[in-house]
Amino acid sequence: MKSMWDSVKMQLFYQWKAKYVITLLLFLVVLCGFSSYAQYSSLQQKEYRFNNTMEMYEKDGITLKQALSEDLEIKKDGHSEEISNVLKYDYYRVIAAKVALNPLNAPNQIFTSVAIVFLPIIFGIYSCHVAFFDFKHGTIKNQLLLKGYTSLFFSKLLSIVLVAIATVSATVLISVGIQFVFNSVMQVQPNVSVHYLAKLPLQAVYQSVGLILFGWFFFLLTTAIRSTLVSIVTLFLYMLLIPNLGGFDLKNLMLLTVSKIYNTSAATMDVASGESTNLIVGYVVIFAVFAVLTFCVYKWDKKRLCPKL
């Protein structure tokens, strides 16, 4: 166990020296900055719509107080909505947007907006480079002689798991810090309510699991085909072009999970709803398939690199 842990620490050191970690952190800063800007823009749009709606209601002699005292019903028909009390609806959307700009609510907001798509892409690319590192630098033979294939393969995989957890933790801290700075610079007065903090531990755990799954799969894919380009193209196609496959598709499971553990009332991206399926069975199937893939890739690549004489 100590030997494996030493190998993992060495892999993390290599990733640091290769500036993979620094690059990942820079992407996280950009991602969090963009999330704060998108949240601010969303508030402005909602305030503009609310003001227009308010003018229309005032022309009809209806005050905001009267509108808020009436019921609000929202009927959904496919992708369209029928709203019975538009002023009340727009008012609460503005309130939700102001709450979302509270720095302590920033982690919930980034995990329900740009991070849904781009964080798995960023970390998938990171994992592809980790898998191809020794081939890129021509150190694979030395690593095999020093550590053996088993230690090399699983230390890289475990390092990806640790970096995934660290990535989510860093995203939480960076998003809070950037939102605080953004509010100060733009002189934003957010709502002081902190509605989303109670679920942050569960959200962070789930986000870590999601990144681990993406990193795990694209590590295996790159190990098997020895091409970061093909793996990265596959990643972009899956995340951006291939539609939701439903059932036990990982994207479908993530879409179903997001609405259960995150507050999406002020999300800056319209997230498609997933097709109904059993979440527990779905994740069990995903982990089982990944375990089989890991065994197959490990055995095949070991035989390819270390053939028996």
Side-chain angles (χ1 to χ4, degrees):
M1 181 63 81
K2 185 177 184 299
S3 177
M4 178 58 73
W5 174 239
D6 290 339
S7 296
V8 172
K9 288 193 292 185
M10 189 58 66
Q11 289 299 326
L12 294 173
F13 175 74
Y14 291 153
Q15 292 165 37
W16 174 264
K17 292 295 289 183
K19 296 183 173 58
Y20 291 171
V21 176
I22 296 296
T23 304
L24 177 62
L25 286 173
L26 289 176
F27 274 113
L28 293 181
V29 170
V30 171
L31 206 63
C32 292
F34 180 77
S35 177
S36 293
Y37 173 77
Q39 207 66 58
Y40 175 68
S41 297
S42 176
L43 172 62
Q44 289 186 311
Q45 292 171 5
K46 290 171 182 175
E47 285 182 331
Y48 178 77
R49 174 172 167 168
F50 169 74
N51 290 332
N52 286 341
T53 306
M54 187 73 221
E55 290 179 4
M56 293 174 57
Y57 269 65
E58 286 178 342
K59 288 180 181 179
D60 293 333
I62 303 173
T63 65
L64 176 60
K65 185 176 180 180
Q66 289 174 322
L68 293 178
S69 65
E70 296 178 2
D71 293 334
L72 169 62
E73 293 184 6
I74 303 174
K75 296 180 181 179
K76 293 187 177 182
D77 182 15
H79 295 289
S80 62
E81 292 182 338
E82 182 180 335
I83 303 169
S84 64
N85 189 341
V86 179
L87 183 59
K88 186 174 184 178
Y89 176 78
D90 288 347
Y91 173 80
Y92 281 118
R93 277 165 55 87
V94 170
I95 296 298
K98 288 184 176 181
V99 170
L101 282 168
N102 187 310
L104 293 179
N105 293 328
N108 178 88
Q109 294 312 114
I110 190 170
F111 290 144
T112 56
S113 57
V114 293
I116 292 178
V117 175
F118 292 105
L119 199 54
I121 290 177
I122 291 170
F123 194 71
I125 294 173
Y126 182 94
S127 301
C128 291
H129 284 292
V130 170
F132 198 68
F133 179 87
D134 288 305
F135 292 100
K136 177 181 178 181
H137 295 281
T139 57
I140 185 65
K141 291 183 178 179
N142 291 335
Q143 292 292 337
L144 290 172
L145 288 172
L146 288 171
K147 303 174 183 177
Y149 182 80
T150 301
S151 178
L152 180 63
F153 180 87
F154 286 104
S155 63
K156 284 189 175 185
L157 192 54
L158 287 173
S159 72
I160 287 173
V161 172
L162 293 178
V163 174
I165 296 171
T167 297
V168 173
S169 301
T171 303
V172 170
L173 296 175
I174 293 171
S175 65
V176 171
I178 286 183
Q179 190 64 64
F180 180 81
V181 172
F182 186 90
N183 289 351
S184 298
V185 172
M186 301 301 294
Q187 297 183 337
V188 176
Q189 296 295 328
N191 191 300
V192 296
S193 302
V194 184
H195 290 176
Y196 319 144
L197 202 57
K199 289 187 176 181
L200 182 57
L202 176 60
Q203 293 171 354
V205 169
Y206 176 74
Q207 199 69 35
S208 298
V209 171
L211 286 194
I212 288 170
L213 289 174
F214 272 92
W216 185 358
F217 179 80
F218 285 97
F219 168 80
L220 294 177
L221 180 61
T222 307
T223 299
I225 65 177
R226 293 184 185 173
S227 171
T228 54
L229 178 60
V230 174
S231 295
I232 291 172
V233 169
T234 302
L235 174 59
F236 274 93
L237 288 175
Y238 177 71
M239 291 300 297
L240 301 177
L241 294 179
I242 297 176
N244 181 7
L245 301 176
F248 297 153
D249 175 23
L250 180 55
K251 282 194 302 186
N252 187 58
L253 296 175
M254 291 176 67
L255 290 173
L256 291 172
T257 307
V258 163
S259 61
K260 295 182 181 296
I261 64 175
Y262 294 97
N263 189 314
T264 59
S265 62
T268 55
M269 287 181 62
D270 292 328
V271 180
S273 57
E275 293 185 21
S276 181
T277 190
N278 189 305
L279 285 175
I280 296 176
V281 174
Y283 282 112
V284 169
V285 170
I286 288 289
F287 276 102
V289 170
F290 276 36
V292 172
L293 286 175
T294 303
F295 177 79
C296 293
V297 171
Y298 165 76
K299 285 291 186 181
W300 182 59
D301 196 49
K302 182 179 181 182
K303 187 174 182 180
R304 181 171 54 174
L305 288 173
C306 310
K308 293 182 179 179
L309 299 177

